[in-house]
Amino acid sequence: MDTSNTSSGDQFILLGFSDQPQLEPIISVTVLFFYVMTLLNNTAIILVSFLDSRLHTPMYFFLSNLSFLDICYTTSIVPQMLINLWGPNKLITYVGCILQFFFAFDFGATECLLLALMAYDRYAAVCQPLHYMVIMNPQVCKKMVAASWLTGLCGALSMCSFAFTLPLCGHIVDNFFCEMPAFLKIACEYTKVVDVTIYTLGVIYLLLPLLFILISYGIITQAVTKIKSGGGLKKMLNTCGSHLTVVSLFYGSAIYMYLQPKKGSTYQVDKFLTLFYTIITPSLNPLIYTLRNKDVKRALKWLWVQSLASISGISRI
């Protein structure tokens, strides 16, 4: 492939999994399946959180924002990926690459911050139950969510401004979408400045929120161990287990991608890890949150019954 310098009007080639063409049909079907699951599952969470008054609590407010975020995140990646997997070429326009880079970073950074806010919500629920609704009143929750979206937006704008002013010595991006680490590899000079920028953003949007989450759960664990009741640990697992599972899946793969030493990086492993946390994890989040949650199960059952009743009513007309 030609790797000569590109101008702002040119296109980029997304290599994706083109070096393993035998896997592309399997990957495309898998991606489509998980994308549809992401849309259906997360939309269901948003609907029941809005329609069922029993779920008008801070936890479900954050959860519905997480679901909306997951829909946006995967939608910024999957349609172009499927076009490239099914089509004769692997191209994306310069503008398309900028938008994909921007939205993927924005939604990914916002999700990191939102997961940290959800940990604080669990801390308030377990450690400050009598003051929970005062601490996490609706206005505070809205401001917290707005701050996480705004902080992610600022990070995406600054990173986009930095990345797309670098001189490029190629137009081949070795990934299935314009993600930051893969895109910066085609800069003419992959300098220490670029490395420091990636690690700095990794610390701000990955390590600091993760540290906040760990501190929150450390305090929760300490508080639960002081409860003499045998149901204390069970209560903590029911309240916090789902969130901890989501945090482990998302942060584990993201930290490996952004903060690992580049010399030890294997591109094929990186691509499959990226596939996991950008496409598979968002489809699993609603399932993880509903497995141990009777309120959501009851609300989903109610929504399903109402939907069937509406369909039955329409068919009779």
Side-chain angles (χ1 to χ4, degrees):
M1 291 183 182
D2 176 27
T3 58
S4 59
N5 195 25
T6 61
S7 67
S8 62
D10 288 340
Q11 296 175 316
F12 291 100
I13 298 171
L14 298 174
L15 285 183
F17 301 94
S18 55
D19 57 336
Q20 297 177 299
Q22 72 279 5
L23 291 180
E24 287 191 330
I26 299 171
I27 291 171
S28 66
V29 172
T30 303
V31 168
L32 180 60
F33 171 77
F34 278 104
Y35 181 53
V36 172
M37 290 294 291
T38 298
L39 296 179
L40 293 177
N41 293 342
N42 285 290
T43 300
I45 292 292
I46 294 169
L47 285 175
V48 297
S49 298
F50 177 75
L51 295 175
D52 192 332
S53 59
R54 292 168 295 186
L55 301 184
H56 291 177
T57 64
M59 183 175 77
Y60 295 107
F61 174 71
F62 289 123
L63 182 56
S64 60
N65 271 273
L66 180 66
S67 292
F68 178 69
L69 194 57
D70 282 337
I71 291 172
C72 294
Y73 190 29
T74 52
T75 301
S76 71
I77 298 167
V78 171
Q80 181 66 51
M81 182 183 181
L82 290 176
I83 289 170
N84 289 351
L85 284 170
W86 292 338
N89 56 52
K90 313 291 181 185
L91 299 177
I92 185 171
T93 64
Y94 184 87
V95 173
C97 190
I98 293 176
L99 291 174
Q100 204 173 59
F101 185 106
F102 173 82
F103 285 119
F105 188 99
D106 182 18
F107 297 139
T110 303
E111 181 153 348
C112 291
L113 300 171
L114 190 58
L115 287 171
L117 294 181
M118 293 174 77
Y120 179 75
D121 172 69
R122 294 301 81 209
Y123 155 77
V126 175
C127 300
Q128 303 288 337
L130 298 179
H131 305 288
Y132 175 62
M133 293 310 297
V134 176
I135 297 170
M136 303 299 294
N137 69 73
Q139 290 303 315
V140 170
C141 292
K142 289 175 184 177
K143 289 177 181 177
M144 291 168 74
V145 169
S148 67
W149 279 91
L150 185 60
T151 306
L153 178 64
C154 291
L157 286 171
S158 60
M159 192 60 217
C160 250
S161 302
F162 169 74
F164 285 89
T165 53
L166 292 172
L168 304 178
C169 289
H171 59 278
I172 300 175
V173 179
D174 193 11
N175 210 329
F176 54 85
F177 75 106
C178 288
E179 191 184 28
M180 181 177 67
F183 181 83
L184 292 178
K185 287 292 185 183
I186 64 175
C188 293
E189 295 182 6
Y190 192 85
T191 62
K192 282 286 184 182
V193 175
V194 176
D195 254 341
V196 169
T197 301
I198 293 175
Y199 278 98
T200 301
L201 290 170
V203 168
I204 294 171
Y205 290 104
L206 285 172
L207 289 188
L208 289 181
L210 181 59
L211 180 63
F212 183 83
I213 291 169
L214 293 176
I215 291 172
S216 297
Y217 278 108
I219 297 172
I220 290 171
T221 304
Q222 189 178 33
V224 169
T225 55
K226 292 179 180 178
I227 300 174
K228 295 182 180 180
S229 165
L233 182 59
K234 185 178 179 180
K235 178 185 177 183
M236 188 194 78
L237 290 174
N238 287 335
T239 308
C240 309
S242 300
H243 183 249
L244 278 173
T245 304
V246 171
V247 166
S248 301
L249 291 173
F250 182 80
Y251 274 94
S253 50
I255 286 174
Y256 178 87
M257 280 296 302
Y258 283 87
L259 297 177
Q260 66 165 324
K262 297 302 173 187
K263 289 182 180 178
S265 173
T266 304
Y267 281 120
Q268 289 306 319
V269 173
D270 289 355
K271 288 177 188 177
F272 281 104
L273 271 175
T274 304
L275 189 69
F276 179 78
Y277 79 80
T278 57
I279 294 166
I280 297 176
T281 300
S283 71
L284 298 178
N285 287 350
L287 298 177
I288 293 169
Y289 277 105
T290 56
L291 283 176
R292 304 175 64 90
N293 196 311
K294 294 179 181 178
D295 292 335
V296 176
K297 286 180 182 178
R298 183 174 60 246
L300 285 171
K301 185 178 179 180
W302 173 81
L303 181 63
W304 177 249
V305 170
Q306 293 298 313
S307 300
L308 290 177
S310 299
I311 294 170
S312 177
I314 292 172
S315 64
R316 290 173 183 173
I317 296 174

Coordinates of all heavy atoms in Angstrom, one line a residue, residues 282-312:
P282 N -20.3 -2.5 25.9 CA -21.5 -1.8 26.0 C -22.8 -2.6 25.9 O -23.8 -2.2 26.4 CB -21.4 -0.8 24.8 CG -19.9 -0.6 24.6 CD -19.3 -2.0 24.9
S283 N -22.7 -3.7 25.2 CA -23.9 -4.6 25.1 C -24.1 -5.4 26.4 O -25.2 -5.9 26.7 CB -23.7 -5.6 23.9 OG -22.7 -6.5 24.1
L284 N -23.0 -5.6 27.1 CA -23.1 -6.4 28.3 C -23.6 -5.6 29.5 O -24.1 -6.2 30.5 CB -21.8 -7.1 28.6 CG -21.2 -8.1 27.6 CD1 -19.9 -8.6 28.0 CD2 -22.2 -9.2 27.4
N285 N -23.3 -4.3 29.5 CA -23.6 -3.5 30.7 C -25.0 -3.6 31.2 O -25.2 -3.8 32.4 CB -23.2 -2.0 30.4 CG -21.7 -1.8 30.4 OD1 -20.9 -2.7 30.7 ND2 -21.3 -0.6 29.9
P286 N -26.0 -3.5 30.3 CA -27.4 -3.6 30.8 C -27.7 -5.0 31.4 O -28.4 -5.1 32.4 CB -28.2 -3.4 29.5 CG -27.3 -2.6 28.6 CD -26.0 -3.1 28.9
L287 N -27.1 -6.0 30.8 CA -27.3 -7.4 31.3 C -26.7 -7.5 32.7 O -27.3 -8.1 33.6 CB -26.7 -8.4 30.4 CG -27.3 -8.5 29.0 CD1 -26.6 -9.5 28.1 CD2 -28.8 -8.8 29.0
I288 N -25.5 -7.0 32.9 CA -24.8 -7.1 34.2 C -25.6 -6.4 35.3 O -25.8 -6.9 36.4 CB -23.4 -6.5 34.1 CG1 -22.5 -7.3 33.2 CG2 -22.8 -6.3 35.4 CD1 -21.2 -6.7 32.8
Y289 N -26.2 -5.2 34.9 CA -26.9 -4.4 35.9 C -28.3 -5.0 36.2 O -28.8 -4.8 37.3 CB -27.1 -3.0 35.4 CG -25.9 -2.1 35.7 CD1 -25.0 -1.7 34.7 CD2 -25.6 -1.7 37.0 CE1 -23.9 -0.9 34.9 CE2 -24.5 -0.9 37.3 CZ -23.7 -0.5 36.2 OH -22.6 0.3 36.5
T290 N -28.8 -5.8 35.3 CA -30.2 -6.4 35.6 C -30.1 -7.8 36.2 O -31.1 -8.2 36.7 CB -31.0 -6.4 34.3 OG1 -30.3 -7.2 33.3 CG2 -31.3 -5.0 33.8
L291 N -29.0 -8.5 36.1 CA -28.9 -9.9 36.6 C -29.3 -10.0 38.1 O -30.0 -10.9 38.5 CB -27.5 -10.4 36.4 CG -27.2 -10.9 34.9 CD1 -25.8 -11.3 34.8 CD2 -28.1 -12.0 34.5
R292 N -28.8 -9.0 38.9 CA -29.0 -9.1 40.4 C -30.0 -8.0 40.8 O -30.1 -7.7 42.0 CB -27.7 -8.9 41.1 CG -26.6 -9.9 40.7 CD -25.3 -9.5 41.4 NE -25.3 -9.7 42.8 CZ -25.1 -10.8 43.5 NH1 -24.7 -11.9 42.8 NH2 -25.2 -10.8 44.8
N293 N -30.7 -7.4 39.9 CA -31.6 -6.3 40.2 C -33.0 -6.6 40.0 O -33.5 -6.6 38.9 CB -31.1 -5.0 39.4 CG -31.7 -3.8 39.9 OD1 -32.9 -3.7 40.2 ND2 -30.8 -2.8 40.1
K294 N -33.8 -6.8 41.1 CA -35.2 -7.2 41.0 C -36.0 -6.0 40.4 O -37.0 -6.2 39.7 CB -35.7 -7.6 42.3 CG -35.1 -8.9 42.8 CD -35.6 -9.3 44.2 CE -35.0 -10.6 44.6 NZ -35.4 -11.1 46.0
D295 N -35.6 -4.8 40.8 CA -36.4 -3.6 40.4 C -36.4 -3.5 38.9 O -37.5 -3.2 38.2 CB -35.8 -2.3 41.0 CG -36.1 -2.3 42.5 OD1 -37.0 -2.9 43.0 OD2 -35.3 -1.6 43.2
V296 N -35.2 -3.6 38.3 CA -35.1 -3.5 36.8 C -35.8 -4.6 36.1 O -36.5 -4.5 35.1 CB -33.6 -3.4 36.4 CG1 -33.5 -3.4 34.8 CG2 -33.0 -2.2 37.0
K297 N -35.7 -5.8 36.7 CA -36.4 -7.0 36.1 C -37.9 -6.8 36.1 O -38.5 -7.1 35.1 CB -36.0 -8.3 36.9 CG -34.6 -8.8 36.6 CD -34.4 -10.0 37.5 CE -32.9 -10.5 37.3 NZ -32.7 -11.7 38.2
R298 N -38.4 -6.3 37.2 CA -39.8 -6.1 37.3 C -40.3 -5.0 36.3 O -41.3 -5.1 35.6 CB -40.2 -5.6 38.7 CG -41.7 -5.4 39.0 CD -42.0 -5.2 40.4 NE -41.3 -4.0 40.9 CZ -40.4 -4.0 41.8 NH1 -40.0 -5.1 42.4 NH2 -39.8 -2.9 42.2
A299 N -39.5 -3.9 36.2 CA -39.8 -2.8 35.3 C -39.7 -3.3 33.8 O -40.6 -2.9 33.0 CB -38.8 -1.7 35.5
L300 N -38.7 -4.1 33.5 CA -38.6 -4.7 32.1 C -39.8 -5.6 31.8 O -40.3 -5.5 30.7 CB -37.3 -5.4 32.0 CG -36.0 -4.6 31.9 CD1 -34.8 -5.4 31.9 CD2 -36.0 -3.7 30.6
K301 N -40.2 -6.4 32.8 CA -41.4 -7.2 32.6 C -42.6 -6.4 32.3 O -43.4 -6.7 31.4 CB -41.6 -8.1 33.8 CG -42.7 -9.2 33.6 CD -42.8 -10.1 34.8 CE -43.9 -11.1 34.6 NZ -44.1 -12.0 35.8
W302 N -42.8 -5.3 33.1 CA -43.9 -4.4 32.9 C -43.9 -3.8 31.5 O -44.9 -3.7 30.8 CB -43.9 -3.3 34.0 CG -44.9 -2.3 33.8 CD1 -46.2 -2.3 34.2 CD2 -44.7 -1.0 33.2 NE1 -46.9 -1.1 33.8 CE2 -45.9 -0.3 33.2 CE3 -43.6 -0.3 32.7 CZ2 -46.1 1.0 32.7 CZ3 -43.7 0.9 32.1 CH2 -45.0 1.6 32.2
L303 N -42.7 -3.3 31.1 CA -42.6 -2.7 29.8 C -42.9 -3.7 28.7 O -43.6 -3.3 27.7 CB -41.1 -2.2 29.6 CG -40.8 -1.5 28.3 CD1 -41.6 -0.2 28.1 CD2 -39.3 -1.2 28.2
W304 N -42.5 -4.9 28.8 CA -42.8 -6.0 27.8 C -44.3 -6.3 27.8 O -44.8 -6.4 26.7 CB -42.0 -7.2 28.2 CG -42.3 -8.4 27.3 CD1 -42.9 -9.6 27.7 CD2 -41.9 -8.6 26.0 NE1 -43.0 -10.4 26.6 CE2 -42.3 -9.9 25.5 CE3 -41.2 -7.8 25.1 CZ2 -42.1 -10.3 24.2 CZ3 -40.9 -8.3 23.8 CH2 -41.4 -9.5 23.4
V305 N -44.9 -6.3 28.9 CA -46.4 -6.6 28.9 C -47.1 -5.4 28.3 O -48.1 -5.6 27.5 CB -46.9 -6.8 30.4 CG1 -48.4 -6.7 30.5 CG2 -46.3 -8.0 31.0
Q306 N -46.7 -4.2 28.6 CA -47.3 -3.0 28.0 C -47.1 -3.0 26.5 O -48.0 -2.6 25.7 CB -46.7 -1.7 28.6 CG -47.1 -1.5 30.1 CD -48.6 -1.4 30.3 OE1 -49.3 -0.6 29.6 NE2 -49.1 -2.1 31.3
S307 N -45.9 -3.4 26.0 CA -45.7 -3.4 24.6 C -46.6 -4.4 23.9 O -47.1 -4.1 22.8 CB -44.2 -3.7 24.3 OG -43.4 -2.8 24.9
L308 N -46.7 -5.6 24.5 CA -47.5 -6.6 23.9 C -49.0 -6.2 23.9 O -49.7 -6.4 22.9 CB -47.4 -7.9 24.7 CG -46.1 -8.7 24.6 CD1 -46.1 -9.9 25.5 CD2 -45.8 -9.1 23.1
A309 N -49.4 -5.5 24.9 CA -50.8 -5.0 25.0 C -51.0 -4.0 23.9 O -52.1 -4.0 23.3 CB -51.1 -4.4 26.4
S310 N -50.1 -3.1 23.7 CA -50.2 -2.1 22.6 C -50.3 -2.7 21.3 O -51.1 -2.3 20.4 CB -49.0 -1.1 22.7 OG -49.0 -0.5 23.9
I311 N -49.4 -3.7 21.0 CA -49.4 -4.4 19.7 C -50.7 -5.1 19.5 O -51.3 -5.1 18.4 CB -48.2 -5.4 19.7 CG1 -46.9 -4.6 19.7 CG2 -48.3 -6.3 18.4 CD1 -45.7 -5.5 19.8
S312 N -51.2 -5.8 20.6 CA -52.5 -6.5 20.5 C -53.7 -5.5 20.2 O -54.6 -5.8 19.4 CB -52.8 -7.2 21.8 OG -54.0 -7.8 21.8

